[in-house]
Amino acid sequence: EQTVGACFFRFSNRGIDEQAAQYMSLLLPLLAVAVARIQHRTELEAYAARLRRSNDDLENFAAIVAHDFSGPVRRIGSYLQLIEEETPDLSARARRYMQRVQSQIAHLDELLQDTLAYSRVIGDQLSVETVDVAELAAEIVSNIQAELDAVGGRVDTLALPIVEAERSLLGEVLRNLIENCVKYRDLDRTPEVHITAEHDRFADDEQRQWWKISVSDNGIGIAVDRRHEVFDMFARLEVSVDRPGTGVGLAFVKRVVEGHGGTVGVDTSAAGGTIIWFTLPGPCKPDQI
């Protein structure tokens, strides 16, 4: 019950006759709808702006917390180590307790570092460049070759494309996915990882080909009814001493891919393991005159 606008009709000296009144009665409802739509759009824009500010605040908060907490956590670990050195006569039980505390401190520090890395991935600050995925995958595999050799693992790549992405972030995505394949391997067989790509779609408005890149393994797999959880922050579907982690890796992958405008998903591989796939854009085609 507030006045949100006014409409004025100007007529000739003849005044408002029956025909003019009819026109006015037809126009007023349309104008009222137009005003309502403008109001609604303004409210939506204001809400979107508040939501963006809220998201920015949350991201900044996560970064600050992760950064500022890392120092005290590491100092606690250092002091605990000093206490252990100053008290050599600790019982076997006490030493086990100390080791467990040290293990939890190391896990907490890893969690904070992963949270900090996650909070720093912001879509509108990406430094996009042309990236040869085959070359980048070979570099990542070379960097983690010792881990692969330790379990007899093998990574095969097949006809990978050129995409437009931030190279360092895409490298972290590939490293996360390959390491997950090793971590969640089937202990009864040699881990095998396959990285493949296929055409996803062609975007006419961008004049570019989008690619679907898949990283598949022959590991323990993921139950169908739990697939919706795998990209959640801190989600860990398989928790054990020999499979350490923080549950941030796949959430990081999702954030990076969506920051590039792509999508991400999970399927079952032909070997009964897991396929994590994601889409990325290829280079724009040059205008042809």
Side-chain angles (χ1 to χ4, degrees):
E1 297 183 358
Q2 295 178 343
T3 301
V4 294
C7 177
F8 298 91
F9 295 93
R10 185 171 183 223
F11 297 95
S12 61
N13 295 330
R14 63 186 175 86
I16 302 176
D17 56 19
E18 184 177 349
Q19 187 179 30
Q22 185 179 2
Y23 288 150
M24 290 168 63
S25 65
L26 291 173
L27 282 172
L28 283 173
L30 299 177
L31 292 170
V33 170
V35 170
R37 286 180 177 173
I38 292 171
Q39 277 187 296
H40 182 60
R41 181 176 177 179
T42 303
E43 290 169 0
L44 283 178
E45 289 176 347
Y47 176 76
R50 290 197 301 272
L51 191 60
R52 282 194 296 271
R53 286 195 299 270
S54 177
N55 287 338
D56 290 343
D57 290 343
L58 285 173
E59 289 166 355
N60 292 335
F61 176 76
I64 291 169
V65 168
H67 180 270
D68 291 354
F69 278 23
S70 293
V73 166
R74 290 175 182 174
R75 285 193 290 273
I76 290 171
S78 298
Y79 282 119
L80 189 64
Q81 189 174 0
L82 290 173
I83 292 172
E84 191 174 7
E85 292 172 357
E86 291 293 327
T87 52
D89 55 344
L90 285 174
S91 66
R93 177 181 293 181
R95 288 195 178 279
R96 284 200 305 274
Y97 291 158
M98 296 282 274
Q99 289 171 356
R100 289 178 183 175
V101 173
Q102 285 282 18
S103 175
Q104 292 302 310
I105 288 173
H107 178 70
L108 178 57
D109 184 57
E110 184 183 6
L111 191 62
L112 290 169
Q113 295 306 313
D114 284 352
T115 303
L116 183 59
Y118 177 87
S119 68
R120 285 174 173 167
V121 183
I122 302 174
D124 59 0
Q125 295 181 2
L126 295 175
S127 299
V128 175
E129 59 183 296
T130 300
V131 180
D132 185 329
V133 181
E135 180 184 292
L136 181 59
E139 181 182 317
I140 299 301
V141 170
S142 176
N143 291 340
I144 62 173
Q145 191 62 54
E147 300 172 41
L148 293 169
D149 291 342
V151 296
R154 189 178 83 240
V155 178
D156 296 326
T157 59
L158 181 63
L160 298 178
I162 305 292
V163 299
E164 286 196 343
E166 182 162 323
R167 195 176 195 279
S168 61
L169 290 178
L170 180 55
E172 286 300 302
V173 165
L174 293 174
R175 183 183 63 80
N176 265 298
L177 294 179
I178 295 171
E179 288 182 344
N180 266 5
C181 294
V182 173
K183 184 187 301 180
Y184 298 108
R185 66 189 183 277
D186 187 328
L187 300 180
D188 294 329
R189 51 186 173 182
T190 301
E192 295 181 359
V193 183
H194 300 279
I195 307 177
T196 59
E198 59 183 318
H199 293 294
D200 181 56
R201 62 186 175 86
F202 187 82
D204 289 323
D205 56 332
E206 299 176 311
Q207 283 295 298
R208 74 168 80 224
Q209 176 68 53
W210 280 71
W211 294 91
K212 181 179 180 181
I213 300 171
S214 301
V215 180
S216 64
D217 62 41
N218 61 345
I220 60 176
I222 300 172
V224 175
D225 61 342
R226 301 202 66 187
R227 286 181 183 174
H228 65 283
E229 302 176 40
V230 298
F231 297 108
D232 292 344
M233 192 71 167
F234 306 125
R236 296 205 59 211
L237 306 188
E238 177 75 18
V239 181
S240 61
V241 175
D242 60 332
R243 303 187 198 274
T246 60
V248 178
L250 288 182
F252 176 88
V253 168
K254 183 174 186 287
R255 188 170 172 85
V256 170
V257 171
E258 290 183 347
H260 287 80
T263 55
V264 64
V266 56
D267 289 313
T268 300
S269 70
T274 302
I275 300 174
I276 301 294
W277 57 264
F278 56 92
T279 60
L280 286 176
C284 286
K285 287 188 174 182
D287 293 333
Q288 297 186 9
I289 301 175

